[in-house]
Amino acid sequence: MQICLITGANRGIGLALARKALELNYRVIATHRGRDLEKLQDLANSAGDRMKLMKVDVSQTTDVEQMVQNMPLPHIDILINNAGVLLDEAVPFSELSEKTLMDTFRVNVWGPTLVTQKCLPLLINSANPRVAHVSSSMGSIAENASGRYYAYRSSKAALNMIHKSLSHDFPKLTTIAFHPGWVQTDMGGPSAAITPSQSADGIWRTLQTASHNDTGKFLSFDGREVAW
């Protein structure tokens, strides 16, 4: 059975990604920060020993190191860096604070960097290791036609650069950055275009069919390339 680690799996896209992983017969390690756990716990209860929940703050080195130490696994086949925050939705540039900017980068950039770094030995042990970074088209410089969201946009652009460098430095990995679409989550709002399940289905479809020729790409959930 293949093994998948998904961060921020307690709700929204992360929960949908975990549910789809179980449907595809993966063993799932699902991280959370200890909030909004009812749906994730129900999923874990139904999955039995195929799913393990772990409380992890992905921005904290000690948490991530303990997570890896407490996973007695020979390898990780797929890592999905999904955990993220949007802290400046209604914040104009004149009111953007250092705290908001740095807190956003701590979770959206340092978090996936740290998790990938600490999980790298387990990924390298896989016959076909894949890393998915849940980014956003809002991190695309080419597609920024509306401004605002200074902290969030810049954090996703930074994540994309981390992803691109990983694709060069670790040729055994197939690493893909994903725009998940405009999704009906707490972040995307109820008027968004697609459901978490539709986003997760598309991301998993691409991950399942991706070849090493796709490493380093920035793709939409439906497989289309996104401009940087």
Side-chain angles (χ1 to χ4, degrees), residues 17 41 69 86 97 184 228:
L17 287 165
Q41 189 63 64
Q69 291 169 5
L86 170 60
S97 68
Q184 296 165 14
W228 296 101

Coordinates of all heavy atoms in Angstrom, one line a residue, residues 17 41 69 86 97 184 228:
L17 N -8.9 16.1 0.0 CA -7.7 15.3 -0.5 C -7.5 14.0 0.3 O -7.1 13.0 -0.3 CB -6.5 16.2 -0.4 CG -6.3 17.4 -1.4 CD1 -5.3 18.4 -0.9 CD2 -6.0 16.8 -2.8
Q41 N -12.1 13.3 12.1 CA -12.1 12.2 13.0 C -13.1 11.1 12.5 O -12.8 9.9 12.6 CB -12.5 12.7 14.4 CG -12.4 11.6 15.5 CD -10.9 11.1 15.7 OE1 -10.1 11.9 16.1 NE2 -10.7 9.8 15.4
Q69 N 9.6 11.6 13.5 CA 10.1 10.6 14.4 C 8.9 9.6 14.8 O 9.2 8.4 15.1 CB 10.6 11.2 15.7 CG 11.9 12.0 15.4 CD 12.3 12.8 16.6 OE1 11.7 12.8 17.7 NE2 13.4 13.6 16.4
L86 N -4.8 32.6 5.0 CA -5.0 33.9 4.4 C -5.4 34.9 5.5 O -6.4 34.8 6.1 CB -6.2 33.8 3.4 CG -6.8 35.1 2.8 CD1 -5.7 35.9 2.0 CD2 -7.9 34.8 1.9
S97 N 0.8 44.9 8.2 CA 1.7 44.9 9.3 C 2.8 43.9 9.1 O 2.6 42.9 8.4 CB 1.0 44.6 10.6 OG 0.5 43.3 10.7
Q184 N -15.0 26.4 -2.8 CA -16.0 26.7 -1.7 C -15.5 26.2 -0.3 O -15.9 25.2 0.2 CB -17.3 26.1 -2.1 CG -18.0 26.6 -3.3 CD -19.1 25.7 -3.8 OE1 -19.6 24.8 -3.1 NE2 -19.5 25.9 -5.1
W228 N 3.5 31.9 -14.5 CA 4.2 32.2 -13.3 C 4.0 33.7 -13.0 O 4.1 34.1 -11.9 CB 5.7 32.0 -13.5 CG 6.0 30.5 -13.7 CD1 6.3 29.9 -14.8 CD2 6.1 29.5 -12.6 NE1 6.6 28.6 -14.6 CE2 6.5 28.3 -13.3 CE3 5.9 29.6 -11.3 CZ2 6.6 27.1 -12.6 CZ3 6.1 28.4 -10.6 CH2 6.4 27.2 -11.2

